[in-house]
Amino acid sequence: MSIHQGRHALITGGGTGIGEAIALALAAQGAEITIAGRRIDALNATCAKSDKIHAVVMDVTDEASVVNATKAAIKVRGPVDIHVANAGIAETSAFAKTPLDFWRKIMTTNLDGAFLTCREVVPGMLKSGWGRIITISSIAGLRGLKYGAAYSASKHGVIGMTRVISEEYMGRGLTANAICPGYVRTPIVTRNAELISKRSNLSLAEAEATMSSENRHQKLVEVDEVAAAVLWICGPGSGSINGQTIEIAGGQV
Ligand code: NDP
C-alpha cells in the first residue's frame, strides 16, 4: 500500500517500542521516515528493518539539537508531513518525596520535547496545506496516576498543547490529535516491571500482571494497536478528526 508515498514522517523515540512500531507501519504505507532519539544504535537497529526509515540523533530536551536535527531531516527528505511526538520517559516517585530535578527531567523530556518538535514542523505543514501532528500522551494525561505526579502532569500538558495546535490552525489542512494508551508492552513497561518486582518482592510475571490489571481489559496493549490508531489519524478521510484524545486502554478510562 502506498497511501503515504512521497510523504515525510518524523517520529521521535522511533528506535524502540511504540515509536518503532509506528515507523514500520508508516513505512509500509510508503512514507519516508525519519526516526529521532539519543541512541544511534537503537535507531540503526530500526533502520535495518526498512530502507524507508532513516535515523537522526536528537535530544528532545535540547532546543538546538531539535532545531538542527529537524532541519537536517527536512533538507534530505523534504518538509515534515506527519509528526509523531512520541519520545518520553516514565518514572515514578511518591508525590511528597519528588525532588525538583526529577520533576524537571520528566517535564523537559515529555512536555518541552513535544513542544519543540511540534513547533519546528508546523510551518512546513501550513505551507503545504496538509499535516498530521500526533502526540503520544497517556491515560495518565487524562487522570491522575498514583506516584506519577510529574509524568501525569507532563502528559496532561501534552494534551493541552495538542488541543491548542488544533484550535490555532483549524481549517488549514493540519490536524493535531493525542493518543492516550494504557499500559503497552514496550521497554518502559519491562523496566517498570523489573522495578516493581524488586520493590515488592513479586516475580516479573506478577509485576507485569499488576500493570495489565490497570488496563480495562486486563491485558497489555500491543504496540501495533497504537500504530493502527496512528495510521487511521493519518489516513484517508481523517481530515475532520482534530483536537481529540484517543484512548487505547481496553475500555473507558
Ligand atoms: P520506550 O522507552 O521504548 O521509548 C521511549 C523513546 O523515547 C526511546 O526510543 C528513547 O530513545 C526516546 N527518548 C527518551 N528521551 C529522549 C530524549 N531526551 N530525546 C530523544 N528521544 C528520547 O517506551 P515506549 O515506546 O513505551 O514509550 C513511547 C511513548 O509512549 C512515551 O512518550 C511514553 O510516555 C508513551 N506511553 C507509553 C506507555 C506504555 O505503557 N509503554 C503508555 C502510555 C504512553 P533514546 O533513549 O535513544 O533517546
Side-chain angles (χ1 to χ4, degrees):
M1 273 200 298
S2 51
I3 293 170
H4 294 302
Q5 199 73 43
R7 284 192 176 138
H8 179 195
L10 170 66
I11 303 163
T12 59
T16 60
I18 292 171
E20 181 184 52
I22 294 168
L24 291 167
L26 283 169
Q29 292 197 340
E32 290 296 327
I33 315 286
T34 302
I35 52 170
R38 294 163 302 177
R39 288 168 300 147
I40 190 66
D41 291 354
L43 297 169
N44 282 341
T46 301
C47 293
K49 296 177 186 172
S50 165
D51 59 9
K52 296 191 93 54
I53 304 182
H54 317 272
V56 70
V57 173
M58 176 195 288
D59 180 346
V60 297
T61 68
D62 176 344
E63 183 174 22
S65 170
V66 172
V67 171
N68 293 333
T70 309
K71 271 196 186 131
I74 289 173
K75 198 170 172 193
V76 186
R77 283 174 282 285
V80 173
D81 304 292
I82 297 169
H83 173 44
V84 186
N86 164 76
I89 49 174
E91 288 169 34
T92 50
S93 166
F95 178 73
K97 291 185 179 163
T98 298
L100 181 59
D101 61 348
F102 174 95
W103 172 274
R104 284 195 174 137
K105 182 176 78 169
I106 293 190
M107 295 297 279
T108 310
T109 306
N110 295 359
L111 186 52
D112 296 11
F115 157 65
L116 288 171
T117 57
C118 290
R119 186 191 70 184
E120 289 309 296
V121 299
V122 161
M125 293 178 177
L126 292 174
K127 207 167 170 194
S128 74
W130 193 92
R132 294 287 179 270
I133 287 191
I134 295 146
T135 53
I136 306 299
S137 177
S138 164
I139 54 164
L142 295 164
R143 62 174 171 84
L145 173 75
K146 207 157 75 171
Y147 304 119
Y151 185 73
S152 232
S154 71
K155 294 298 187 178
H156 275 72
V158 163
I159 291 174
M161 181 195 73
T162 308
R163 288 178 171 152
V164 169
I165 297 170
S166 85
E167 284 293 314
E168 215 164 303
Y169 301 112
M170 195 176 290
R172 299 177 67 181
L174 185 169
T175 67
N177 293 286
I179 292 185
C180 302
Y183 285 98
V184 187
R185 192 187 308 282
T186 71
I188 279 188
V189 158
T190 314
R191 282 191 297 271
N192 281 347
E194 282 163 6
L195 270 177
I196 293 172
S197 153
K198 264 188 216 147
R199 277 187 200 153
S200 333
N201 218 7
L202 295 172
S203 71
L204 258 184
E206 285 165 336
E208 190 182 292
T210 62
M211 281 186 277
S212 332
S213 69
E214 294 285 329
N215 287 345
R216 296 297 306 281
H217 57 355
Q218 312 284 302
K219 292 192 291 193
L220 288 180
V221 173
E222 301 298 335
V223 289
D224 289 343
E225 297 180 274
V226 182
V230 171
L231 294 186
W232 168 63
I233 293 172
C234 296
S238 59
S240 300
I241 304 158
N242 196 13
Q244 302 303 305
T245 53
I246 291 127
E247 298 151 28
I248 309 178
Q252 294 179 70
V253 170

